[in-house]
Amino acid sequence: MKGIMLCLGSLLLCSVAWTQDVKADWDKSANFTGYRTYAWATGTPAKNPLMGQRIVDGIDKQLAAKGYQQVESNANPDLIVLYHASTSTQTQINTMGTGGWGWSWGGTSTTTVNEIPTGQLSVDIGDAKTKKLLWLGSASDTLSDKPEKNEKKIQKALDKMFKKFPPPVAD
């Protein structure tokens, strides 16, 4: 029975570590109703240019769905958009006990260490005239060795990130 509980606990911990973390924050005093156009600025591009293009396309799609129009940076846009992408690894340590009564009453335990690749994405949107940051979205998740899975994760993160963009007008 203890073995089953230990396995279930380990699975629960693993699933918590692998959930996508998405957040958005914005300047509560900003009024987004006057903004209609945006242009891209250079942030920190993804190491993989194909993933970078998928990120840009995904953000363009989100903004277009909200009624924003992309223009060239020399066309006096209302907003400037840029993204930062990075990767890192997360260390996961799992210990599995087998047999015995409790932790020190016989039996054995096996510990495995896994390096899990993770990706972080940050999207910054600022006022082009004042150069003031207005909105920031961020996401982090584990990465797959399959590009199509990572593309789905990017789309899911952007959907969550832009769900309440533009933010509601403060009262």
Side-chain angles (χ1 to χ4, degrees):
M1 185 63 155
K2 283 186 180 183
I4 292 172
M5 294 304 287
L6 184 61
C7 286
L8 288 175
S10 295
L11 286 173
L12 181 61
L13 286 174
C14 290
S15 67
V16 169
W18 291 338
T19 58
Q20 191 174 60
D21 183 27
V22 179
K23 296 178 179 114
D25 194 12
W26 58 91
D27 179 348
K28 305 302 187 243
S29 66
N31 182 348
F32 285 77
T33 58
Y35 300 115
R36 300 281 178 245
T37 61
Y38 73 96
W40 280 94
T42 303
T44 310
K47 290 180 184 177
N48 177 336
L50 293 173
M51 281 301 155
Q53 189 58 52
R54 291 175 183 130
I55 292 168
V56 169
D57 291 346
I59 294 169
D60 283 341
K61 181 179 172 186
Q62 292 288 334
L63 291 172
K66 307 283 185 168
Y68 293 88
Q69 180 183 0
Q70 182 181 1
V71 297
E72 295 300 318
S73 58
N74 61 0
N76 297 320
D78 299 321
L79 299 170
I80 295 294
V81 178
L82 55 100
Y83 82 90
H84 305 281
S86 64
T87 58
S88 60
T89 57
Q90 199 174 49
T91 303
Q92 181 181 51
I93 300 172
N94 295 311
T95 301
M96 176 71 82
T98 57
W101 298 92
W103 293 105
S104 61
W105 295 84
T108 61
S109 65
T110 303
T111 300
T112 58
V113 178
N114 296 314
E115 295 293 325
I116 301 167
T118 59
Q120 297 79 36
L121 174 64
S122 173
V123 179
D124 299 353
I125 299 178
D127 185 297
K129 291 174 185 64
T130 66
K131 308 291 189 236
K132 182 179 175 185
L133 180 65
L134 299 174
W135 186 89
L136 171 67
S138 64
S140 63
D141 201 351
T142 58
L143 295 175
S144 172
D145 57 351
K146 296 179 180 169
E148 58 276 358
K149 283 189 176 185
N150 291 329
E151 183 176 5
K152 286 181 182 178
K153 288 182 179 200
I154 290 168
Q155 289 309 312
K156 183 178 175 184
L158 292 173
D159 287 346
K160 287 181 182 179
M161 202 182 290
F162 280 89
K163 188 172 186 168
K164 291 187 179 181
F165 182 88
V169 177
D171 294 330

